[in-house]
Amino acid sequence: MPEQGGAQGLSRAASTAAWGGYSNGQIPASALAKVPVGVGQPYLRPDAAAAYNDFSAAFRTKFGKSLSITEAYRDLARQQALWEAYQNGTGNLAAKPGTSVHGWALACDFGSNVNNAGSAEKVWANANGPKFGWQPKGDGFSSPEPWHFEYDGSYQGSGSGSDKATDEDMRLIQSGGRGIAAIGPGYFFQLPEGEFVSQATEIWGDPFIGNDRQFDLWRAIVLQGTTA
């Protein structure tokens, strides 16, 4: 599925440093690691691939299925084709060639129901993906793309799934002025109202309820290890 384009796409791509001396969308397969994909080139940057494998292993433990990838690395020719289709009105929104994070082999469009906003799989992926360096960047697009995640380099895993985190680390917290959030070691995710909350409570149980000061304290402890 095409990535968000426009100025937002440019700024995100600009913040993703080139690596290995390669250009966006022109990275040789020999510099990449293979991953299973639905369409396009079956590759990611090696550290992103290892992080994906651990992320998928944790996903499989939770849902009994692998975390499928619709598309990962996108070479310049494919990005050009998507861009031209978007420009002539025959395709979906796509980033300008040379600006896509897919072109750095650092983005994935996930399936396995993660592509459906508000699903249990999407809620879990949003809460757990950052543990593996996979950020749900597509949620912030002007036209949200729940399937689109980007690897930020923060997780260096084995790729075997042996380093995976568990749901035992996650909790929900709530206060009258702050709403509901999922927290875990080094992680905080503010939950939107509605289906996100109902799915999260099915996964992690009822939230711990406190006042706003306690909520801020819990958030500070999991993020910084300090008091608010």
Side-chain angles (χ1 to χ4, degrees):
M1 298 180 182
E3 180 189 22
Q4 174 78 33
Q8 185 178 34
L10 287 170
S11 65
R12 289 185 303 102
S15 68
T16 307
W19 60 275
Y22 306 116
S23 298
N24 187 295
Q26 300 181 66
I27 304 171
S30 60
L32 300 171
K34 275 197 168 185
V35 291
V37 303
V39 297
Q41 292 74 36
Y43 302 110
L44 285 172
R45 198 171 77 176
D47 54 346
Y52 157 72
N53 288 334
D54 286 351
F55 186 19
S56 182
F59 186 88
R60 187 185 304 112
T61 297
K62 180 64 183 177
F63 295 105
K65 57 186 177 183
S66 297
L67 177 57
S68 65
I69 303 175
T70 302
E71 187 168 12
Y73 174 59
R74 189 180 294 157
D75 66 17
L76 200 60
R78 175 160 171 76
Q79 192 67 41
Q80 183 68 40
L82 292 171
W83 171 253
E84 290 177 357
Y86 168 57
Q87 291 294 297
N88 63 31
T90 61
N92 294 326
L93 186 66
K96 185 177 180 180
T99 70
S100 172
V101 180
H102 282 284
W104 292 122
L106 295 173
C108 278
D109 294 339
F110 290 126
S112 300
N113 214 32
V114 171
N115 51 310
N116 292 317
S119 68
E121 292 88 345
K122 171 62 174 173
V123 171
W124 185 94
N126 273 27
N128 288 273
K131 297 178 184 179
F132 301 96
W134 285 98
Q135 303 289 342
K137 294 291 188 178
D139 292 348
F141 293 171
S142 57
S143 296
E145 297 181 356
W147 51 84
H148 182 89
F149 284 64
E150 296 177 9
Y151 177 66
D152 64 11
S154 64
Y155 177 84
Q156 300 295 315
S158 66
S160 67
S162 61
D163 298 328
K164 64 183 180 293
T166 69
D167 282 328
E168 294 177 359
D169 298 324
M170 299 298 295
R171 297 289 185 274
L172 296 180
I173 59 173
Q174 180 178 11
S175 74
R178 303 287 190 264
I180 300 177
I183 62 172
Y187 183 75
F188 174 88
F189 173 56
Q190 186 76 41
L191 291 169
E193 293 296 328
E195 193 171 0
F196 268 90
V197 171
S198 62
Q199 292 287 1
T201 55
E202 287 186 19
I203 296 171
W204 295 299
D206 293 331
F208 292 96
I209 299 176
N211 57 37
D212 290 352
R213 169 65 179 172
Q214 290 171 315
F215 185 101
D216 292 341
L217 178 62
W218 291 329
R219 175 173 55 189
I221 288 172
V222 300
L223 292 179
Q224 292 97 25
T226 59
T227 58

